[in-house]
Amino acid sequence: MTTVRLMASAPASHDADALVVGVHSGPQGLRPAPGAESVDEALGGKLVEALRSVAFTGKTGEVAKIPTFGALSTPLVLAVGLGDADGTVEDLRRAAGAAARALAGTARAAFALPATTREQVEAIALGALLGAYTFDRYRTNGELKPPVGEIAVLTEAEAPLERTVVVAESVNLVRDLVNTPPSDLWPAKLAELAAERGAQAGLEVEVLDETALKENGYGGIVAVGQGSINPPRLVRLAYRHPEATKTLAFVGKGITFDSGGLSLKPSSAMDWMKADMGGAGAVLGSLLGIAGLGLKVNVVGYLCLAENMPSGTAQRPSDVYTSYSGKTVEVLDTDAEGRLVLVDGIARAGEDEPDLIVDVATLTGAQIIALGWRTAGVMANDDAFRTRVVEIAERAGEPSWPMPLPAELRKGLDSSVADIANLPSERWGSMLVAGIFLKEFVPDGVTWAHIDIAGPSFNKTDPYGYTPKGGTGAATRTLIGLAEEYAG
Ligand code: BES
Ligand code: MN
Ligand code: ZN
């Protein structure tokens, strides 16, 4: 486990196994960033020369290791690129994350990055804690280096790190859940874990099992879950603050594995569908984080959990069921299952009389086609709220972009037998059509936003900044940020 603390010591004489410094690129060449000057001095002014000789260019997130041969108290300097100008706090988070990743296997590291403001200190600490993340639960060969142990952020500034630690723990928990294989994480198991962690954090917990779901009319969750030997669950977690004036509801898609059901996915699209519970993960992680921070707001979280499998009991394309809202749905494609479980959660959330509902879901491949792997799509029934969500996400370091819900796309969901079909007649604008489907189930008069994190929830390629390969914990920080925004 990685720990982080603040220390006011001078970088060149601080005792550790490695010292991290920032270096800017630019038209005049490499420039040591604030924090690195005294290190450069101790190295006889040769920091830039040494970095040039290992072809370091200073671009954001690039790292290079330089031995210090006794010139400093640390045997190693790790330079991390900070780009050409004074970057954003997100640049700093990413640089710290890249440094923490490069320091895997190091016991004690000191970070001498630009840290004069509280914001900068928090960015370094959060980036480092998120970058240090590893998932080694299934490794037996000891080849994976342990994460960097103790991190000292060198700064004169004062900054409480409680929030940073809570946020990092929330995000890293979500990453663990997403990375856990579906052989070890099915709906009841995730529900149990959520109930346990929720109770520990002082949340009110309610778990509906398959019998309760059937009896109470959660037709979508039941329909999606009926093909699996692992039955579905709906988890409700409630955080309350006595001085709260606002109530928020978060709803997460929690498909612990999405095979597509009878509308089976091709195998190339299936091997990472353990990540299809990333939305529910983010809702759980954020609720635990919000409780840990003691925010003055009420937040109710719903985890809509099912395993989408083909079998003799699975739902069939052309089945019709009645959703929790009372509306009937024709299932034309069992692989469009996320919207079916989500709308039961969204309709139920209305009973909490929330000021707003935000759902988070790995909902459509079309999100990835439209916006790529790293940028979430945000849709809403209120333009001002949509803007607000995008801004909060941006501040949290989770890129997203506002997307419309064009009214003319609704007719594509017309069913010949039921109130609505789950598959549009055309594939164009599929991310938006999914949003339009959800919107139809939002309780009257409630402000609602939908965040499609199909791409951002899982990093299939190399790590970058503080983002590891695999589960990323996407949207967790946005949800915590939202709760902070509405806290009194
Ligand atoms: N879980 C998938 C969406 C997804 C795709 C998430 C790729 C992450 C990466 C979702 O359940 C799904 O299968 N959606 C279909 C909907 C379609 C059948 C209307 C899709 O996007 O292809
Ligand atoms: Mn699917
Ligand atoms: Zn899915």
Side-chain angles (χ1 to χ4, degrees):
M1 232 263 290
T2 307
T3 60
V4 61
R5 66 200 160 124
L6 305 186
M7 291 195 72
S9 32
S13 57
H14 182 84
D15 180 34
D17 302 315
L19 181 70
V20 176
V21 298
V23 177
H24 287 292
S25 60
Q28 290 95 14
L30 299 174
R31 269 176 303 124
E37 305 99 332
S38 64
V39 175
D40 184 34
E41 238 165 76
L43 291 171
K46 298 208 155 129
L47 177 63
V48 165
E49 194 184 314
L51 287 170
R52 265 205 305 261
S53 67
V54 294
F56 181 84
T57 68
K59 70 173 193 293
T60 313
E62 183 182 356
V63 294
K65 289 179 180 172
I66 296 171
T68 64
F69 302 114
L72 280 81
S73 301
T74 52
L76 184 79
V77 162
L78 183 95
V80 58
L82 291 174
D84 61 0
D86 288 345
T88 61
V89 283
E90 175 63 6
D91 291 331
L92 200 50
R93 273 187 216 119
R94 291 189 184 200
R101 267 194 299 112
L103 290 173
T106 306
R108 293 170 315 141
F111 282 53
L113 292 170
T116 42
T117 68
R118 177 180 160 164
E119 249 196 336
Q120 287 175 321
V121 174
E122 286 178 337
I124 294 164
L126 183 60
L129 288 173
L130 294 177
Y133 174 82
T134 54
F135 185 69
D136 61 3
R137 201 178 296 166
Y138 294 89
R139 303 222 182 237
T140 63
N141 60 13
E143 275 170 14
L144 196 70
K145 287 185 198 155
V148 50
E150 284 172 28
I151 293 174
V153 176
L154 306 186
T155 179
E156 313 261 290
E158 298 277 329
L161 289 184
E162 285 81 10
R163 177 188 184 276
T164 304
V165 170
V166 166
V167 171
E169 279 174 356
S170 299
V171 174
N172 286 338
L173 169 72
V174 181
R175 292 170 170 183
D176 276 350
L177 293 173
V178 170
N179 288 332
T180 301
S183 51
D184 277 335
L185 196 73
W186 53 91
K189 181 89 177 288
L190 181 47
E192 201 179 296
L193 187 143
E196 214 173 276
R197 299 290 299 258
Q200 276 167 13
L203 305 178
E204 198 182 299
V205 179
E206 182 189 344
V207 179
L208 302 183
D209 66 9
E210 69 273 30
T211 314
L213 289 168
K214 246 176 248 160
E215 275 169 8
N216 292 286
Y218 295 88
I221 300 176
V222 169
V224 174
Q226 75 190 31
S228 173
I229 196 162
N230 300 309
R233 294 287 184 270
L234 176 66
V235 179
R236 177 180 181 277
L237 301 166
Y239 167 75
R240 281 183 201 293
H241 193 285
E243 289 158 52
T245 56
K246 291 273 192 294
T247 298
L248 318 183
F250 298 158
V251 182
K253 170 178 173 182
I255 302 298
T256 55
F257 184 71
D258 182 12
S259 71
L262 286 176
S263 312
L264 199 64
K265 284 184 185 297
S267 42
S268 59
M270 213 191 279
D271 62 359
W272 52 298
M273 279 302 129
K274 65 175 182 179
D276 212 19
M277 36 57 67
V283 170
L284 171 61
S286 70
L287 260 287
L288 297 175
I290 290 160
L293 296 171
L295 300 180
K296 286 186 189 161
V297 59
N298 296 327
V299 185
V300 190
Y302 287 94
L303 320 183
C304 307
L305 307 175
E307 187 179 51
N308 190 24
M309 296 294 273
S311 77
T313 60
Q315 62 173 338
R316 293 144 291 240
S318 76
D319 272 359
V320 173
Y321 75 86
T322 304
S323 75
Y324 189 73
S325 71
K327 288 194 205 322
T328 58
V329 180
E330 183 185 16
V331 180
L332 292 176
D333 189 319
T334 64
D335 196 15
E337 85 297 339
R339 61 199 73 184
L340 307 184
V341 300
L342 275 173
V343 298
D344 279 358
I346 289 171
R348 166 67 199 272
E351 293 171 18
D352 296 302
E353 295 178 358
D355 294 282
L356 49 96
I357 297 177
V358 178
D359 78 74
V360 183
T362 48
L363 204 60
T364 65
Q367 178 276 314
I368 306 172
I369 292 170
L371 294 171
W373 294 103
R374 299 186 188 179
T375 305
V378 179
M379 288 140 270
N381 61 3
D382 179 303
D383 287 356
F385 184 54
R386 187 186 61 189
T387 304
R388 212 160 170 190
V389 172
V390 170
E391 283 170 0
I392 290 166
E394 164 82 26
R395 248 180 282 140
E398 298 185 317
S400 70
W401 203 253
M403 285 287 158
L405 295 173
E408 76 277 9
L409 293 181
R410 171 60 183 83
K411 68 177 179 303
L413 290 170
D414 283 348
S415 160
S416 49
V417 291
D419 296 340
I420 192 167
N422 79 330
L423 183 76
S425 49
E426 290 188 42
R427 67 194 191 92
W428 316 115
S430 275
M431 164 172 53
L432 316 180
V433 177
I436 286 166
F437 182 95
L438 301 180
K439 182 175 170 224
E440 198 109 334
F441 294 81
V442 174
D444 282 343
V446 181
T447 304
W448 156 84
H450 158 57
I451 311 179
D452 193 334
I453 56 165
S457 67
F458 198 81
N459 177 22
K460 292 193 82 167
T461 60
D462 290 337
Y464 60 92
Y466 52 77
T467 306
K469 195 175 167 89
T472 62
T476 310
R477 289 179 290 152
T478 299
L479 293 180
I480 295 175
L482 257 158
E484 286 175 329
E485 179 100 352
Y486 287 86

